[in-house]
């Protein structure tokens, strides 16, 4: 991911639900479209240079996910749990460093 880059750096999209991580205005963002309700998380500043971003999804009771974002090994955000995206085929696949204009946010 590169600072100053606008738009998704990673996304998993379908027609009614999706998730994306991107760098915008020097900050790392995560958005999760939960079958309509949009959950957005500002994961903090994203320093210039080569960085490692890790998005971890942990299954919780009630078919929910708890996501954690870490930058260079340091946790930067843990949004509230969300419903798992079940029964969805990623019609536009998983994209890295591109934007297919699917309805994430």
């Amino acid at each position: 991911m590169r600072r100053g880059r606008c738009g998704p750096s990673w996304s998993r999209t379908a027609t009614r639900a999706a998730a994306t991580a991107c760098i915008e205005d020097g900050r790392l963002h995560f958005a999760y479209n939960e079958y309509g309700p949009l959950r957005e998380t500002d994961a903090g500043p994203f320093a210039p240079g080569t960085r490692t971003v890790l998005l971890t999804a942990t299954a919780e009771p009630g078919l929910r996910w708890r996501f954690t974002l870490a930058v260079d090994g340091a946790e930067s955000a843990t949004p509230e749990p969300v419903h798992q995206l079940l029964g969805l085929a990623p019609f536009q696949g998983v994209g890295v460093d591109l934007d297919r204009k699917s309805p994430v946010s």
Side-chain angles (χ1 to χ4, degrees), residues 7-33:
S9 292
W10 168 88
S11 64
R12 186 261 190 216
T13 59
T15 56
R16 292 193 52 215
T20 189
C22 70
I23 301 156
E24 197 165 52
D25 298 326
R27 300 186 71 79
L28 176 62
H29 297 272
F30 176 67
Y32 189 89
N33 186 324

Side-chain angles (χ1 to χ4, degrees), residues 54-94:
L54 179 65
L55 173 66
T56 304
T58 303
E60 293 197 340
L63 297 175
R64 299 183 70 77
W65 289 122
R66 176 173 297 278
F67 289 103
T68 301
L69 287 113
V71 178
D72 295 332
E75 186 175 303
S76 60
T78 303
E80 291 298 313
V82 294
H83 291 287
Q84 293 179 8
L85 304 180
L86 300 174
L88 291 176
F91 295 114
Q92 293 185 333
V94 174

